[in-house]
Amino acid sequence: LRQRWDDLASFHWRYPVDDVARLLPPELRADTFDGDAWVGLIPFHMRAVRVGPGPVVPYLGAFVEINVRTYVVDRFGHRGVWFCSLDVPRSPIVAVARTMFALPYCWGAGGHEVRHDAAGEHHHYRIERRWPRADGPRPATDIAYTIGERVAPDDVTDLDHFVTARWSLFTQRRGRLLRGDVDHERWPVHRVVSHRIEQTLIDAAGLPRPTGEPHALASPGVGVRVAWLRQVAP
C-alpha cells in the first residue's frame, strides 16, 4: 500500500512497562525509552491511498484517522508499532483493514479542520466511536493544537526519534504474529506550542488514563509504503 500521512501530530505519555505488557501477545515485549513504555495518541489525515502503482482508491483514498499505539520488540530484535485501536470515519476502511491487515480499526464520526491566523497554524481533530459498540459512553477524542517552529535535524531528540522512526508494525491473526515493513522518509517535525486534549480512546484500550503533559510533536506529513504482512517465525 502507498499513502500519505498529512497534518500529523503525536502526543505520547510514559507508562509502566507492566501496564503495556499485559496488552501484548507473548511473542512481543514493550519497547522502552528512559525505562518506561510509551503510549501515543496520533491524529492525522490519510491521503492518496493506493495499491502499488495503481490510482488513488476512490472515496476510500482520503480520511481522518486517530490511533492509539505503543512500541514493541519481537524476539529477533525487530522494533515496531503495536496498535491498540485505529478510529476512522469510513466504515468500508474498517472492513478492508480488519480483513486484509488484521488491524483493530474502528468506525466513528469525526473530522479535521485547520485554520491560519497571526498566532500560527491551528488543527482540530475529533472522533466518536460508533463501532464496535461498548457499554457506557462511546470512546471519543477531541484534540486541538497549534504548530510551532520546525525542529532543526540536529535538534531532534532521542525521544523524538524513538516515537517517529518506526519501520514495521505488528498484529495478530488467528493467534499468529504478523509483521509488515513500513517505509517513509524522516518526519519533518515541529514543536507543538499549545494543545487541548480530551480523550477516552486510551482508556478504552484498557490502559489507565494518562497523566501529566504529553511529549508533543507535529509534522506536515510524509509519504509511506506499507508491505504486505508476513508471519513471524514462532
Side-chain angles (χ1 to χ4, degrees):
L1 290 178
R2 296 170 184 263
Q3 55 203 237
R4 281 200 58 82
W5 301 343
D6 286 337
D7 295 328
L8 184 151
S10 77
F11 302 93
H12 285 84
W13 291 266
R14 292 176 178 268
Y15 271 81
V17 171
D18 288 347
D19 284 350
V20 169
R22 59 188 174 82
L23 303 180
L24 304 176
E27 300 95 334
L28 297 175
R29 60 180 174 85
D31 197 359
T32 62
F33 181 88
D34 196 24
D36 290 309
W38 291 77
V39 173
L41 186 65
I42 317 294
F44 65 98
H45 211 128
M46 183 89 79
R47 289 190 172 97
V49 177
R50 58 195 191 276
V51 179
V56 173
V57 181
Y59 178 69
L60 304 181
F63 51 90
V64 168
E65 178 176 311
I66 302 178
N67 64 60
V68 176
R69 70 193 224 180
T70 190
Y71 305 102
V72 294
V73 185
D74 70 8
R75 69 185 185 90
F76 301 104
H78 297 133
R79 303 168 66 220
V81 175
W82 179 264
F83 291 102
C84 300
S85 63
L86 308 94
D87 283 76
V88 298
R90 291 275 198 276
S91 56
I93 291 292
V94 175
V96 171
R98 281 179 173 255
T99 301
M100 295 179 64
F101 285 92
L103 291 170
Y105 269 81
C106 306
W107 171 67
H112 168 228
E113 294 87 37
V114 59
R115 63 182 177 86
H116 298 80
D117 60 23
E121 181 176 314
H122 312 277
H123 291 263
H124 181 203
Y125 283 94
R126 67 192 185 283
I127 204 154
E128 182 181 69
R129 187 177 298 168
R130 303 292 177 83
W131 185 89
R133 295 184 181 274
D135 295 334
R138 293 170 173 165
T141 289
D142 192 295
I143 302 170
Y145 63 92
T146 300
I147 297 176
E149 294 183 355
R150 180 171 178 176
V151 180
D154 289 344
D155 294 330
V156 172
T157 68
D158 290 343
L159 181 54
D160 297 339
H161 194 66
F162 177 84
V163 299
T164 60
R166 293 288 161 168
W167 315 116
S168 63
L169 62 86
F170 290 92
T171 188
Q172 269 190 319
R173 178 184 283 126
R174 293 189 291 273
R176 295 180 300 161
L177 184 67
L178 307 174
R179 181 168 69 95
D181 292 333
V182 179
D183 180 42
H184 58 76
E185 67 264 33
R186 185 172 181 171
W187 287 19
V189 294
H190 295 242
R191 297 296 173 208
V192 172
V193 296
S194 65
H195 65 269
R196 174 186 55 79
I197 301 174
E198 299 174 6
Q199 73 78 36
T200 55
L201 292 183
I202 295 176
D203 313 47
L207 289 161
R209 178 159 294 191
T211 59
E213 285 296 302
H215 173 268
L217 292 174
S219 176
V222 291
V224 182
R225 293 184 297 177
V226 183
W228 298 114
L229 301 176
R230 61 182 184 272
Q231 184 175 359
V232 177

